[in-house]
Amino acid sequence: MARAFVLLCASALLCRVLSDTLQVTAAEAATFQCMNPLFRIQWYTGANDLAQLEPRPVVHDRLLRCARWNGKPSCCNTNLEPFQLVVFDAHRDRIEAEVHVLEQYLASMVKLRSSEVYENALQLEQHLLDRAVDAVRSALEEVKPCVLHLLAFVAGMTCFSCQPDWVNYVWRNGLGQVVGVNVDPNACIYVDRGCGAFGHAVQQAYLHMMESQLAKSPKESLPDFSMFFSREALCKWLRGTVALQPMAFKSSVLARRLSPEASISGLSRELSSAVEAAPSASTPLPEAVVQATAIPTSLPLPQAPTGPSSPALAFDPAKDGLASDFRVDFSPA
């Protein structure tokens, strides 16, 4: 990582482009304000790692993904944005995968209607399968607005890592662990506004499939969409799962998305050009550059004040997500 940082900063042009690059020395103390336990993997460690939060709140004016934090003290920086995009896309991939499973199940039921099994089935059973097929199709027609509203919530939670006053928005237990996020009810209402129709339609579809022996024939497993069946269930899931696990992906999943192409694509075109123009590993670097980019001594990780605490403020991830620059779109098959 140190070598990569040296190569990047060997270009004077790139160093100007990266004016928001984290410049840290071992003498600078990190604060708990930028160490939200929900984003522990992004904490500043004292090393010259380009994908870390700030050690303390800093004012930036060139943030792209979480642009609402421009001009305000925050823990985010432009170097973290490729990683934030990776996390957001991983959430999107998981949602799309669940929808794709339902689409595959529908395809299996449609194929079954052309089989000999269907031809030999009782007329009532044929009717039940046809009704199940129509119900799943209706549910899939409602899925896009649901995913879009949900991704706005996800984007807002991704940008929650920028919040230096995170302690005021969460519940913590006696060990200082975050056990709840005080999600504003308006965020639940917003997501339900996009997911209500899908939740009702997919619940009806599942009931119709359970009534048909033929509809239960496909070997695929049905995805769990029960969190969308009611506003209460949806809000409980948003608060208890999505908000509490904004980084809930295996390291292997994130590693696959953190390819060089993915990292560069999250930066500006000028940055990409500068990276391509950087000297190769075999190019000797000036001693001044090597010394200036040496890895500093790792700093101790300060913790938030010990003991349990309750939130004083409510956080609206949907509102923050809509103000972000994440690619909140979805194109079902």
Side-chain angles (χ1 to χ4, degrees):
M1 184 60 69
R3 183 64 175 175
F5 186 80
V6 169
L7 292 178
L8 287 176
C9 284
S11 166
L13 170 62
L14 183 57
C15 287
R16 288 197 298 270
V17 174
L18 292 176
S19 61
D20 278 347
T21 297
L22 185 63
Q23 301 293 334
V24 178
T25 67
E28 290 180 314
T31 71
F32 76 88
Q33 291 173 292
C34 292
M35 290 185 172
N36 185 334
L38 296 178
F39 302 92
R40 188 181 184 89
I41 193 175
Q42 297 178 349
W43 283 4
Y44 171 73
T45 64
N48 284 327
D49 192 331
L50 296 181
Q52 293 183 345
L53 292 165
E54 295 282 9
R56 58 174 61 243
V58 176
V59 176
H60 291 285
D61 59 7
R62 300 176 63 182
L63 297 176
L64 299 177
R65 301 302 173 192
C66 304
R68 69 172 293 271
W69 285 101
N70 281 324
K72 305 175 184 177
S74 80
C75 300
C76 290
N77 55 69
T78 56
N79 299 313
L80 183 65
E81 291 184 336
F83 184 76
Q84 289 177 318
L85 183 59
V86 166
V87 173
F88 176 81
D89 285 346
H91 278 281
R92 182 210 306 277
D93 289 348
R94 184 168 65 177
I95 298 169
E96 289 183 344
E98 293 292 293
V99 174
H100 183 59
V101 170
L102 185 58
E103 291 171 338
Q104 288 182 316
Y105 200 98
L106 172 62
S108 296
M109 290 195 298
V110 171
K111 184 178 180 180
L112 187 60
R113 292 200 297 186
S114 302
S115 69
E116 187 175 335
V117 174
Y118 179 84
E119 294 295 333
N120 295 332
L122 296 175
Q123 185 175 5
L124 174 60
E125 186 58 38
Q126 292 177 347
H127 170 71
L128 292 176
L129 176 63
D130 293 342
R131 187 175 65 171
V133 168
D134 292 340
V136 174
R137 281 176 173 163
S138 297
L140 288 172
E141 289 175 357
E142 303 290 348
V143 73
K144 183 173 182 177
C146 180
V147 172
L148 294 179
H149 282 65
L150 178 57
L151 286 176
F153 188 99
V154 168
M157 283 308 307
T158 303
C159 289
F160 188 50
S161 62
C162 304
Q163 175 60 261
D165 296 326
W166 58 269
V167 174
N168 291 322
Y169 294 89
V170 302
W171 282 273
R172 296 187 304 138
N173 61 18
L175 299 177
Q177 300 168 326
V178 174
V179 295
V181 178
N182 191 22
V183 175
D184 192 303
N186 287 326
C188 295
I189 294 173
Y190 172 81
V191 178
D192 182 69
R193 191 179 302 142
C195 292
F198 170 70
H200 176 74
V202 76
Q203 184 178 26
Q204 291 298 312
Y206 280 14
L207 289 175
H208 291 327
M209 283 188 282
M210 293 304 101
E211 294 171 349
S212 168
Q213 291 299 320
L214 289 177
K216 291 184 284 188
S217 299
K219 297 180 180 180
E220 295 89 351
S221 298
L222 287 170
D224 181 12
F225 288 127
S226 59
M227 69 286 289
F228 299 111
F229 288 177
S230 68
R231 178 180 293 180
E232 292 76 15
L234 176 60
C235 195
K236 181 179 180 180
W237 177 68
L238 291 173
R239 287 173 168 161
T241 300
V242 182
L244 276 180
Q245 301 175 2
M247 307 291 293
F249 294 96
K250 296 180 180 179
S251 57
S252 58
V253 174
L254 294 177
R256 286 197 299 270
R257 300 304 301 266
L258 275 175
S259 63
E261 293 78 10
S263 297
I264 292 176
S265 65
L267 302 176
S268 66
R269 183 176 304 175
E270 184 178 5
L271 174 58
S272 300
S273 301
V275 169
E276 294 172 357
S280 66
S282 60
T283 303
L285 298 171
E287 182 61 24
V289 173
V290 175
Q291 293 297 327
T293 56
I295 298 178
T297 303
S298 294
L299 302 177
L301 300 180
Q303 303 293 324
T306 58
S309 65
S310 298
L313 301 170
F315 173 54
D316 189 340
K319 181 179 179 180
D320 278 23
L322 291 172
S324 73
D325 191 41
F326 288 97
R327 189 169 59 91
V328 182
D329 58 18
F330 173 69
S331 299

